[in-house]
Amino acid sequence: MHADVRLTHVGGPTVLIEVAGWRLLTDPTFDPAGRTYAFGWGTSSRKLAGPAVAADALGPVDAVLLTHDHHGDNLDEAGRRLLPAAGAVVTTVPGARRLGGGATGLAPWASTTLEGRGRPSIEVTATPCRHGPPLSRPIVGDVVGFALRWEGQRHGALWISGDTVLYGGVRQVAGRVKVGLAVLHLGGVRFPVTGPVRYTMTARDAVTLLGEVRPHTVVPVHYEGWKHFQQPRPVIEREFAAAPRDVRDRIRWLPIGTPTDLET
């Protein structure tokens, strides 16, 4: 039996994933617009847009897939308040220690399984990320992506890239995971204090990575709603328009706040 998936892009990195009775939430960010958040080492950003779906309208959440807990554009105060009510929280190993409360920490390529009565089990595998230039991990902290596998996927796993630059670790996904649906964190993040250094993928990086991973469908996220994004949607669209056809034909922009059915 095929199990298609419904995605709702709430805004930023926050996506509600509904499949086969499961409701999974990525990187909960539900604070209103206007606040400036410090990210450490002199970096900060202002939130420009609030969530398209309010936290109290979200409904029950079976699991939170948290790529990292220590940046306010991936977990803010309102998002943090949602965690105790979630059935499970899966994140990085250091993040699980910080959060406590039974959160599950995964190192890259480690896995855990979500199980629920009357629903197919979902295998969650952490995938590598590096949230900045070489040797930046001690400063920017650990981040992971997630590959989700369940029975009935037609094209392959659902992969959430997490906040990462293009480097050898994330490129391992191409050889280790057959990806059906890729939720790709973009935005080409830079900060004035660190000049030209990038902290997430540019659209050009994404084209390179997608040519290797070759997912059936690609959903861009985490490119809007914050001042530190250097590549909003129009910039990304121009780069994708110049990409090889077998890449650009896979891109699917989701209307923010609107549930959208996709194949996996």
Side-chain angles (χ1 to χ4, degrees):
M1 178 180 178
H2 294 306
D4 288 341
V5 63
R6 174 169 292 179
L7 300 187
T8 305
H9 185 193
V10 175
T14 309
V15 179
L16 178 64
I17 302 167
E18 298 176 88
V19 60
W22 288 97
R23 304 181 89 248
L24 314 177
L25 186 69
T26 68
D27 289 357
T29 54
F30 289 91
D31 284 357
R35 177 177 165 185
T36 295
Y37 297 73
F39 296 146
W41 292 82
T43 62
S44 65
S45 183
R46 183 162 56 91
K47 189 171 187 179
L48 305 177
V53 180
D56 58 7
L58 189 66
V61 173
D62 296 304
V64 169
L65 305 174
L66 180 58
T67 65
H68 57 304
D69 69 301
H70 53 283
H71 290 157
D73 62 329
N74 296 85
L75 180 68
D76 58 20
E77 290 182 7
R80 195 175 292 267
R81 290 195 292 270
L82 290 178
L83 299 184
V89 177
V90 185
T91 188
T92 64
V93 172
R97 288 197 296 264
R98 286 188 291 263
L99 292 172
T104 298
L106 296 180
W109 299 118
S111 298
T112 189
T113 301
L114 303 176
E115 296 181 329
R117 185 182 298 273
R119 293 173 287 181
S121 60
I122 297 180
E123 181 188 57
V124 180
T125 301
T127 59
C129 292
R130 196 184 74 207
H131 199 0
L135 306 178
S136 65
R137 195 179 306 275
I139 298 172
V140 299
D142 285 353
V143 182
V144 290
F146 298 103
L148 312 181
R149 299 179 178 92
W150 60 82
E151 185 177 355
Q153 291 174 322
R154 299 178 216 193
H155 306 293
L158 191 165
W159 177 48
I160 302 150
S161 73
D163 285 5
T164 186
V165 295
L166 180 64
Y167 80 114
V170 74
R171 295 173 100 151
Q172 291 175 17
V173 172
R176 298 184 64 156
V177 182
K178 177 176 168 46
V179 177
L181 173 58
V183 177
L184 213 60
H185 290 210
L186 297 177
V189 167
R190 290 187 309 194
F191 297 99
V193 72
T194 53
V197 172
R198 298 279 185 181
Y199 294 88
T200 62
M201 281 190 289
T202 64
R204 185 167 296 181
D205 294 333
V207 169
T208 299
L209 182 61
L210 294 173
E212 298 174 12
V213 175
R214 302 188 62 79
H216 179 267
T217 305
V218 181
V219 172
V221 301
H222 213 21
Y223 56 85
E224 44 65 50
W226 289 84
K227 188 176 180 181
H228 62 300
F229 289 129
Q230 303 300 309
Q231 290 198 333
R233 177 170 172 172
V235 175
I236 298 170
E237 286 185 314
R238 286 197 296 271
E239 194 70 45
F240 283 168
R245 183 172 180 177
D246 66 340
V247 170
R248 68 175 184 265
D249 286 353
R250 301 169 192 266
I251 308 300
R252 180 76 180 269
W253 293 93
L254 299 190
I256 295 178
T258 302
T260 305
D261 293 332
L262 299 165
E263 291 184 0
T264 55

